[in-house]
Structures are given as structure tokens and as C-alpha cells.
Amino acid sequence: MLLQVADIHTYYAKSHVLNGVSMGIEEGEIVALLGRNGVGKSTTLKSIIGMTPPQAGSIRLKGREIMGLKPHAVCYRGVGYVPEERRIFPELTVRQNLAIGMKPRQKVDDPWTLERIYTYFPKLKERDRQKGKHLSGGEQQMLTMARTLIGNPELLLLDEPTEGLSPALVEMVIQMCRDINRKGCSILLVEHSIDVALSMARRAYIMSKGQVVFQGSRDEIQGNEEVRKKYLEV
């Protein structure tokens, strides 16, 4: 098991947002986290990365406790986070944005170097000297993912990676995720589109009101009309 989340409780001030969330991700998996807006999906990712530290429970990466660590320390242990807001540096060039994601003195087999990133994302190579604010939405999403990958994560947390993108760019993101996964990076994916999520993930967890209420394979979720109506459909 690569990641084990056990009974975590996360609060915003006095508001109890995550109420005993548990889940696990094996090495090499793409796992989706599904549910309606406001049920705690993004907070789960932020709890794992350390942005909203849980007040109880356990989060283990490859058997080592990471709950309570600062976000940069969690990243150095092999977790990458792509936020929904993208958060590129608009006044920095593409190359400068990527340089910020590098981890000095990191020892990794087959690392994501700048050259490898540009081979994989040729559009970013074309925009090498352009500032982030001049990129299109799709190019900004590429840059956010590339900046995270250049830190060589073993686990990638993706929060709504296709939000606001055209159908063509959605397909591009799907293919990127599949390719990244084939190169050995596990993915925990929050995605508003059930079809998009299940086109990548072989299994999923469904959340409601800060709890995991169902887990199952792609086929089990697609075939369970009652669960879809109760927890997923608007």
C-alpha cells in the first residue's frame, strides 16, 4: 500500500469538515474521489498534503506517518499536489515556474528533468520564455502538472484537473494522466465529471457529508444506479 488514510478528522475553525475519512491507494493505481460539491473531496487532498492538517487520525505514505508534517515536507517524501486553482506564478516565465518545482539534491531513478518535461510537453517548450499570465487555460494546466512532476512524486494528488477546459483539452488531460501513471506515478483524482474520472480510475471512493459512504470498482459504481442517484447525480 502506497498511501493509507485512516479515520482522519479535519476542521475549518469549529466546522467539522472531514468526519473519519479512510482510504488506501496501492502503488501504480489511479483512484478517483467522487461526490457532490462541498462534501470534503478537496479538503481530503489538502489534509493529505498538509495544507489543512487533520486533528485526529493517521496518514501513512509507504508505512511512514506523514500527518502533521508541513506541505513542503510531505512533498519531499514523494507527494505532488495540483490544486484546482492551478496557482502558477503569472509574472514568471514557463522555465522559471518549472525551476521552482525542482528539488535540489533529490536522488531518483529516471527523474523528470527539464529536458524530459519539454519532450513530454512540447507546447511548454514552445512557450519557454513566455510569462505564465500569457498562457491559455490548457497551457496553464500543463504547466501546473509539469511543475509538480519535475519534483518526481510517487503519488500525484489532482484536484479537478479538467475544470473549465474544452472537450479537446479534457481529452488531452486524460491522456496525460494515463501516461504519467504508466511511468510509475500513482494518482488520487478529484473530478466533477464521473465519466472522466472513471475513464481513468479503476476504482473510486464516494464521499458525502465529510465521510466515505461507498467504495468500489469502476464497474460496481457504473452499475449501481441507487448509489449514483443518491450521492453523485445532481
Side-chain angles (χ1 to χ4, degrees):
M1 191 69 70
L2 177 63
L3 179 75
Q4 293 173 296
V5 177
D7 194 30
I8 61 171
H9 294 255
T10 300
Y11 294 76
Y12 290 135
K14 294 183 179 180
S15 179
H16 198 170
V17 181
L18 299 185
N19 188 6
V21 169
S22 297
M23 63 181 61
I25 301 172
E26 297 179 8
E27 292 187 8
E29 277 196 306
I30 299 179
V31 176
L33 189 55
L34 305 176
R36 296 191 178 99
N37 290 337
V39 299
K41 304 186 301 296
S42 294
T43 301
T44 299
L45 298 191
K46 290 177 181 178
S47 295
I48 294 169
I49 201 67
M51 293 177 65
T52 56
Q55 294 187 19
S58 173
I59 303 173
R60 292 183 174 273
L61 182 71
K62 299 173 72 173
R64 296 177 62 187
E65 185 65 56
I66 61 171
M67 196 178 86
L69 297 179
K70 298 293 185 182
H72 71 273
V74 177
C75 289
Y76 265 92
R77 281 162 174 76
V79 182
Y81 174 56
V82 179
E84 181 180 2
E85 305 87 357
R86 296 180 184 139
R87 296 182 186 172
I88 64 166
F89 295 93
E91 296 298 330
L92 298 184
T93 66
V94 166
R95 181 179 287 257
Q96 289 168 334
N97 267 277
L98 292 172
I100 287 173
M102 296 178 181
K103 298 175 183 174
R105 300 179 299 278
Q106 187 184 38
K107 296 181 179 180
V108 179
D109 295 332
D110 195 23
W112 285 90
T113 62
L114 184 63
E115 293 73 20
R116 184 178 175 189
I117 287 288
Y118 278 163
T119 298
Y120 193 72
F121 298 96
K123 186 66 71 173
L124 294 182
K125 185 175 183 178
E126 294 174 15
R127 303 285 191 267
D128 177 77
R129 296 176 181 271
Q130 289 193 10
K131 291 185 177 181
K133 65 182 180 181
H134 297 311
L135 302 181
S136 69
E139 289 165 349
Q140 289 185 12
Q141 185 64 282
M142 283 186 214
L143 179 56
T144 307
M145 294 182 71
R147 186 182 61 194
T148 304
L149 286 174
I150 209 165
N152 300 297
E154 294 180 69
L155 171 65
L156 190 60
L157 308 178
L158 289 179
D159 196 355
E160 302 284 8
T162 68
E163 179 71 25
L165 299 183
S166 68
L169 289 175
V170 169
E171 287 300 319
M172 179 200 73
V173 171
I174 290 172
Q175 192 57 52
M176 279 196 301
C177 290
R178 288 171 177 165
D179 290 347
I180 291 165
N181 179 247
R182 277 196 291 267
K183 293 180 185 296
C185 185
S186 303
I187 297 174
L188 177 58
L189 168 74
V190 168
E191 174 57 53
H192 67 281
S193 169
I194 303 168
D195 291 338
V196 169
L198 296 182
S199 72
M200 293 183 276
R202 70 178 182 89
R203 64 186 185 93
Y205 293 90
I206 298 176
M207 292 187 67
S208 179
K209 298 179 180 178
Q211 297 178 311
V212 173
V213 293
F214 185 86
Q215 61 175 297
S217 68
R218 177 192 298 129
D219 292 341
E220 287 171 335
I221 292 171
Q222 289 173 331
N224 195 322
E225 184 176 356
E226 180 182 353
V227 166
R228 292 201 319 274
K229 285 185 176 180
K230 187 173 183 179
Y231 298 116
L232 300 177
E233 296 175 2
V234 178

